[in-house]
């Protein structure tokens, strides 16, 4: 097992168990305790783990990354199906907006290989997915990075989005109730979503079946205002 694989395995084990001892990790990895201690020292320097007496627990950065990864993998097949439908609808358009949800991240991955496309997104992972695509220009509207999620928020993002225009936008939702109301959580994300919706000719809400028939704290719109809902 090479060093990168060991780092990944250590982070996964610590994330799953909350805390691991050096002896436990050495047995799992089939290496010496000295090697594990050296690996933990490097991972601690990177903020991925926190050293404890005789082992390690999950660091703040690794906790964030692990939680985001869990969000990405939750209902993955449904998100992929939704993304495929959205990518088909996006064909032929030149300017597209994506919010910071994990469902729109799945859409971004399917846009690779597009030509003559500008993607405006508040999602840092979506921007990273597309930044090296030769036929795609990626535009970030600015603003603050949310502490609990790798996307942009705040008045700068909102005002810049209002100055732009897109042919089509895809917005994630945390809930859609049986009256067609669309909800987001946390509430402070709603202004960015509304700015995106107001700047696009066509607006699709993307939400898998687990979000339907539910509500959260903040309603930011009604399906009837927009083009449609894409769900599995």
């Amino acid at each position: 097992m090479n060093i990168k694989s060991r780092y990944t395995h250590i982070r996964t084990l610590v994330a799953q168990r909350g805390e691991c001892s050096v002896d436990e990790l050495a047995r799992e990895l089939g290496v010496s305790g000295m090697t594990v201690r050296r690996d933990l020292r490097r991972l601690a320097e990177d903020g991925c783990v926190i050293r404890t007496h005789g082992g390690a627990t999950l660091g703040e950065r690794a906790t964030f990354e692990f939680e985001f990864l869990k969000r990405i993998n939750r209902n993955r097949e449904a998100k992929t199906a939704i993304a495929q439908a959205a990518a088909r609808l996006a064909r032929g358009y030149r300017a597209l907006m994506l919010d910071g949800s994990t469902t729109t991240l799945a859409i971004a991955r399917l846009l690779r290989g597009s030509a003559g496309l500008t993607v405006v997104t508040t999602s840092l992972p979506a921007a990273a997915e597309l930044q090296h695509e030769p036929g795609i220009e990626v535009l970030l509207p600015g603003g603050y990075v949310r502490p609990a999620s790798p996307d942009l928020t705040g008045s700068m993002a909102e005002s810049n989005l209002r100055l732009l225009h897109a042919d089509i936008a895809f917005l994630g939702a945390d809930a859609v109730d049986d009256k067609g109301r669309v909800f987001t959580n946390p509430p402070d994300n709603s202004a960015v979503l509304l700015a995106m919706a107001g700047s696009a000719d066509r607006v699709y809400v993307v939400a898998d079946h687990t979000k339907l028939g539910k509500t959260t704290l903040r309603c930011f719109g009604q399906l009837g205002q927009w083009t449609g809902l894409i769900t599995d």
Side-chain angles (χ1 to χ4, degrees):
M1 183 181 293
N2 62 38
I3 190 168
K4 288 186 177 180
S5 297
R6 288 204 313 273
Y7 288 169
T8 301
H9 201 164
I10 289 170
R11 291 173 62 179
T12 301
L13 289 170
V14 173
Q16 290 173 343
R17 300 175 187 179
E19 185 173 353
C20 290
S21 69
V22 169
D23 290 342
E24 185 180 1
L25 291 170
R27 284 195 304 273
E28 291 276 358
L29 298 170
V31 297
S32 68
M34 183 179 297
T35 297
V36 169
R37 290 186 184 91
R38 187 166 58 244
D39 290 348
L40 291 178
R41 184 163 56 248
R42 178 59 185 273
L43 289 169
E45 289 171 357
D46 291 343
C48 298
V49 301
I50 297 172
R51 291 298 306 274
T52 62
H53 180 67
T57 188
L58 207 59
E60 183 176 351
R61 173 182 160 188
T63 301
F64 173 82
E65 291 176 355
F66 188 70
E67 287 301 317
F68 186 65
L69 184 61
K70 284 201 299 186
R71 282 176 53 205
I72 290 173
N73 289 327
R74 191 176 297 136
N75 303 314
R76 195 181 189 102
E77 289 185 4
K79 290 175 182 175
T80 299
I82 292 167
Q84 288 169 343
R88 287 194 296 270
L89 288 168
R91 287 175 190 156
Y93 294 123
R94 299 183 61 83
L96 178 150
M97 287 186 176
L98 299 174
D99 79 334
S101 69
T102 54
T103 305
T104 52
L105 175 57
I107 297 171
R109 289 172 173 162
L110 294 180
L111 296 176
R112 293 172 184 159
S114 300
L117 180 65
T118 298
V119 175
V120 180
T121 183
T122 53
S123 167
L124 300 183
E129 287 286 341
L130 298 173
Q131 65 175 327
H132 297 300
E133 290 296 310
I136 298 178
E137 290 187 331
V138 179
L139 176 60
L140 292 168
Y144 291 100
V145 179
R146 287 202 292 161
S149 184
D151 57 85
L152 301 171
T153 191
S155 58
M156 180 183 291
E158 295 158 23
S159 60
N160 286 340
L161 285 166
R162 292 191 192 100
L163 294 174
L164 301 173
H165 169 264
D167 301 305
I168 190 166
F170 297 101
L171 308 179
D174 290 299
V176 180
D177 72 6
D178 56 4
K179 297 177 182 177
R181 294 181 298 177
V182 186
F183 295 80
T184 186
N185 193 39
D188 61 0
N189 193 42
S190 62
V192 166
L193 295 172
L194 285 171
M196 275 193 167
S199 296
D201 294 337
R202 301 160 191 81
V203 179
Y204 287 92
V205 174
V206 291
D208 68 67
H209 68 278
T210 64
K211 312 288 181 62
L212 305 184
K214 297 179 180 178
T215 63
T216 60
L217 192 59
R218 177 62 188 266
C219 171
F220 72 93
Q222 180 87 23
L223 286 178
Q225 300 171 241
W226 300 318
T227 313
L229 166 71
I230 306 175
T231 186
D232 59 314

